[in-house]
Amino acid sequence: MAFFSKIETKPSLNLQKMKTPLLGLALLVAAPLWAQQRVHSAQLNFTSQADGSVRFATANMTPLQTIPGATAPYWQYYWEFGDGDFSFSANPAHRYKAAGNHRVRLYATNIYDDGIPPALVENTVALSAVTAAADTFSHVLATPAAAVGMHANRNARAEEDLVCILSYRNPGTAATAGRLHLFVNEKNARAPHFIFENARAHHSEAQLAVPPASAQTLINETRSLYHNEYIWDFPALGPGQIRNLFVTLKGTPAILQDTGKLIRLRGVFAPSDPGIPAEGYTLELRIVRSHDPNDMSVSHSWVDCRAAEDLELEYLIRFQNEGDGPAQKIALDVELPNSLNAATLSRQGWYPSCDTCLETRFTKTGVRFTLDNIHLPGRKETRRPNPDSTQGFLRFRIKPAEDKPREPIKVRAHITFDQNGPIATNYATTRFETCPPLCCCCPPAPVEKPPLCMPGTSAGAKGGYAFASGDYPGEYPFFGLSTPWPHKPERIYLQSELLLGLKGDTPLPDLLSVKIDTLASPHSALPDTLITRVEKETRRRFVAFEFPMLLRKDFSRYFGLGLGASARLFFEKSKDESTTTVTTITHSATGAVSTSISPPALSSTETGKTRLWVQVFVDFSFGDGCRGPVLGLRPGVVLNEGYKLFVQASLEVKF
């Protein structure tokens, strides 16, 4: 018996990288609510026959509680029989191939119920003999020709286990060994979503502690997208033979921040036989707060605001017919905020699949998708192909609108089956952020804390030249940082900067002073003359720190205007070198005139001085204010230096 989801996903693996938020406050607020949730419990019973057939049943299941206005809750089951086989039936029957002790596991998921699912239930089936043939082997291969397939027993939820089933098959004509790879925790996520709990192998698969140094192109490409890789060596697999591997993953607390996001696990079948090509399979999961089959999710839960212009969001609406008969018409009314560009909407796929049954019509509040003349079985029908045949989906893509406020984008749908009332889904939310690149890397292992970052902030580095009227300080280069500030291009926001200016030894204009004194001559009636000449050369250097603070407004993506004030502090060093010469003119008794010049006298002094400028300015910016680069022009006036004028020209790049 083959069991697989009707929804076959082929998502793109090149997703936009994201970054990590400050999660502590969210967890602090959510903790009391989480603690109030009801914790369910369950038991499993079984009866065995001498021929090796066993009938399983659940017992003492905690009563479910209906959420006001929601569909009646029910249990969804997943069984592992301890021999590599499994079932999603409520009370399955199973025949074992071999005698011995078989550890049976039961996972129960409460659908339409906000309590916490029961913990894993285990029991041992001891068989002394087996005389009957085993049932057909279950698997999750999507097609008869597939070499690898994946399926999860439920969606991802914080602090909750899920089981990932990996089925693999030898599509060749000869037996082959090989490796099975599982990749989890995408690098584009802000924090790790899963912790690897354990794996259950029933066909002598051996887990490797260290990934091999070399691998095929498919594996290497996938490694670049995920933080964690788990590998199993499998022994000889016969032609057409199918096996299952079961892996338990636990959602981390950090998964809460990405509620409503689509995430992906990747499995790769890598046979040793070079004649059999490697094959990959991507399993798409949704991060949920409760297990509701009618929901909405989005490909990106956090986006760098600077990448928003090139971003295309992908939305997935999932729905399930809970009736006792088939649904023939399903309407999906999607609320689209004005921060999305409706003209860029494109449909990517839907189920029930058909060529002409899907109608798309834009409304005042968004868009309506109508699936008409279809057949979607009801969950309460006694006969249906498989459990997932009652579920459908619609996937579409859309781009954010340009020059709109970078506020959270919240999208939800209202699902209407035939003539029934609408069912509102959760909001699929995309938030915007920017942060320095050094803190945007996810940690290498899921056990580490998420990297700290400043959501919704941006920083830049700038350099340029400053000019001032008068002889001081003249022109000098500067560089610095625009400190992290909330990027809110739709309104006035505050920005602060730290600038450092440097100027080396610079000669100031030479000073010349001449002093003439007359003295009575002892030899003549004419006076003697004493001429003292002092030449002074001054060289000055300084370091300047400036602390601007301004209010900015971006009038478009490429032009902004600001008004601000700053304090500019100069730390100066001056060196004065003086040369003094004295010329003496004397008269003798005979009237003769003689001139004598003294040797030059040299002197040098160094002094330090600190001065403060208080200034106001206007700031003009030209360029991409979100991504950079930005050309800046900042004229202003110094208030405490006789209204000295200055101007700064700069080029800024954004982080």
Side-chain angles (χ1 to χ4, degrees):
M1 177 185 65
F3 175 88
F4 56 90
S5 171
K6 278 285 187 180
I7 300 178
E8 183 178 354
T9 59
K10 297 181 179 179
S12 171
L13 294 178
N14 297 320
L15 302 178
Q16 175 68 33
K17 289 190 175 181
M18 316 261 167
K19 306 170 183 109
T20 303
L22 299 174
L23 182 62
L25 181 60
L27 294 178
L28 183 63
V29 173
L33 299 177
W34 189 268
Q36 296 174 7
Q37 288 185 299
R38 293 168 291 106
V39 179
H40 292 290
S41 62
Q43 295 180 2
L44 71 84
N45 295 328
F46 64 89
T47 56
S48 60
Q49 304 295 326
D51 61 358
S53 61
V54 181
R55 170 69 68 176
F56 296 93
T58 59
N60 299 325
M61 303 294 293
T62 305
L64 296 172
Q65 180 174 323
T66 302
I67 302 173
T71 305
Y74 61 91
W75 290 105
Q76 182 174 286
Y77 304 96
Y78 166 68
W79 300 80
E80 286 181 25
F81 299 126
D83 62 349
D85 208 346
F86 64 91
S87 174
F88 284 91
S89 301
N91 300 299
H94 181 65
R95 289 184 178 179
Y96 287 92
K97 295 180 179 179
N101 295 330
H102 303 276
R103 193 66 175 170
V104 179
R105 302 163 69 96
L106 167 64
Y107 292 85
T109 304
N110 44 319
I111 307 298
Y112 295 116
D113 176 275
D114 58 1
I116 299 175
L120 167 67
V121 181
E122 294 183 282
N123 207 336
T124 300
V125 175
L127 299 175
S128 59
V130 173
T131 59
D135 289 336
T136 303
F137 195 70
S138 300
H139 62 80
V140 293
L141 298 174
T143 65
V148 63
M150 299 171 65
H151 189 82
N153 68 320
R154 53 192 173 206
N155 279 303
R157 191 181 182 194
E159 300 287 358
E160 187 173 296
D161 289 346
L162 66 81
V163 177
C164 176
I165 308 167
L166 286 89
S167 296
Y168 60 102
R169 168 184 168 272
N170 179 3
T173 57
T176 181
R179 287 194 174 107
L180 194 64
H181 300 250
L182 174 64
F183 298 87
V184 302
N185 294 322
E186 296 167 281
K187 289 184 178 180
N188 61 23
R190 294 160 58 91
H193 292 145
F194 296 108
I195 296 174
F196 179 88
E197 292 278 280
N198 57 70
R200 294 167 300 285
H202 300 279
H203 304 281
S204 302
E205 296 96 340
Q207 186 173 356
L208 302 181
V210 179
S214 62
Q216 300 181 42
T217 302
L218 174 63
I219 297 174
N220 289 333
E221 290 176 352
T222 308
R223 282 177 181 161
S224 67
L225 303 174
Y226 289 85
H227 281 297
N228 300 100
E229 177 184 7
Y230 304 96
I231 308 173
W232 292 266
D233 264 328
F234 61 83
L237 184 67
Q241 184 180 359
I242 299 174
R243 294 173 182 166
N244 292 323
L245 178 73
F246 306 100
V247 179
T248 300
L249 303 173
K250 185 174 184 178
T252 64
I255 208 171
L256 283 171
Q257 64 190 312
D258 288 329
T259 298
K261 185 181 187 300
L262 290 171
I263 59 175
R264 296 169 173 90
L265 310 180
R266 181 77 168 162
V268 175
F269 172 75
S272 301
D273 187 344
I276 302 176
E279 184 174 320
Y281 186 92
T282 299
L283 174 64
E284 191 173 65
L285 299 173
R286 307 181 305 284
I287 298 177
V288 300
R289 290 189 181 273
S290 62
H291 296 286
D292 186 340
N294 299 297
D295 66 1
M296 190 162 192
S297 47
V298 64
S299 57
H300 296 71
S301 57
W302 294 89
V303 174
D304 188 323
C305 78
R306 294 166 293 188
E309 306 298 336
D310 302 323
L311 177 68
E312 189 173 42
L313 298 173
E314 182 173 302
Y315 290 92
L316 175 66
I317 308 172
R318 294 287 299 263
F319 48 87
Q320 177 168 295
N321 179 10
E322 296 292 342
D324 53 10
Q328 298 180 345
K329 181 178 181 180
I330 302 173
L332 308 173
D333 292 289
V334 182
E335 301 173 4
L336 297 179
N338 59 9
S339 52
L340 291 176
N341 184 356
T344 64
L345 186 146
S346 62
R347 305 178 309 190
Q348 298 298 307
W350 56 90
Y351 182 83
S353 57
C354 53
D355 295 329
T356 60
C357 66
L358 179 61
E359 176 189 7
T360 304
R361 179 171 59 88
F362 289 98
T363 64
K364 292 182 178 180
T365 58
V367 61
R368 164 173 277 207
F369 300 101
T370 304
L371 289 160
D372 202 0
N373 296 320
I374 60 171
H375 182 94
L376 185 68
R379 184 180 63 84
K380 298 178 182 178
E381 288 187 46
T382 56
R383 299 181 63 184
R384 57 181 187 271
N386 64 61
D388 280 357
S389 65
T390 64
Q391 298 179 359
F393 77 96
L394 185 137
R395 189 188 302 268
F396 67 92
R397 292 179 181 174
I398 191 170
K399 292 184 176 181
E402 294 185 4
D403 298 325
K404 291 294 183 181
R406 292 304 179 219
E407 297 176 345
I409 300 176
K410 296 184 176 182
V411 179
R412 71 171 177 177
H414 295 268
I415 306 169
T416 304
F417 294 89
D418 294 325
Q419 304 301 318
N420 298 296
I423 300 172
T425 69
N426 60 296
Y427 281 102
T429 304
T430 299
R431 297 175 175 85
F432 292 91
E433 65 167 1
T434 59
C435 64
L438 293 181
C439 72
C440 296
C441 299
C442 292
V447 296
E448 297 184 13
K449 293 182 179 179
L452 295 179
C453 197
M454 300 181 67
T457 63
S458 181
K462 66 190 312 182
Y465 263 84
F467 307 87
S469 60
D471 295 331
Y472 180 83
E475 65 180 55
Y476 65 90
F478 68 88
F479 57 91
L481 296 173
S482 56
T483 54
W485 42 268
H487 185 80
K488 301 174 180 177
E490 74 278 3
R491 57 180 180 268
I492 296 175
Y493 56 88
L494 184 68
Q495 178 178 340
S496 62
E497 297 176 351
L498 173 62
L499 304 178
L500 173 65
L502 299 171
K503 193 166 188 177
D505 282 344
T506 304
L508 298 182
D510 293 345
L511 297 178
L512 175 65
S513 64
V514 178
K515 182 181 180 181
I516 302 176
D517 296 313
T518 57
L519 303 173
S521 172
H523 306 291
S524 172
L526 295 174
D528 293 340
T529 302
L530 190 67
I531 303 174
T532 303
R533 178 188 178 95
V534 180
E535 295 183 11
K536 184 179 181 180
E537 178 181 312
T538 301
R539 304 182 70 85
R540 183 177 294 165
R541 64 183 185 273
F542 64 79
V543 176
F545 293 94
E546 185 177 353
F547 307 93
M549 186 75 71
L550 66 155
L551 294 174
R552 290 185 52 84
K553 176 71 170 68
D554 294 336
F555 292 92
S556 72
R557 179 176 174 180
Y558 300 102
F559 174 71
L561 182 65
L563 181 64
S566 68
R568 198 185 315 187
L569 189 62
F570 294 90
F571 295 94
E572 303 174 0
K573 287 288 185 180
S574 298
K575 184 177 183 179
D576 298 329
E577 295 182 347
S578 300
T579 303
T580 304
T581 58
V582 179
T583 302
T584 305
I585 302 174
T586 60
H587 298 80
S588 66
T590 61
V593 178
S594 62
T595 302
S596 64
I597 302 175
S598 66
L602 302 178
S603 64
S604 177
T605 60
E606 287 193 12
T607 59
K609 183 180 179 180
T610 302
R611 69 173 70 191
L612 175 67
W613 283 9
V614 178
Q615 53 198 34
V616 294
F617 57 84
V618 179
D619 184 88
F620 302 92
S621 60
F622 307 90
D624 193 330
C626 195
R627 298 182 182 181
V630 177
L631 180 65
L633 190 64
R634 183 175 291 178
V637 60
V638 183
L639 301 179
N640 60 337
E641 287 279 339
Y643 297 101
K644 181 191 291 285
L645 300 179
F646 73 90
V647 64
Q648 294 175 342
S650 65
L651 181 67
E652 182 178 8
V653 295
K654 298 291 186 178
F655 295 148

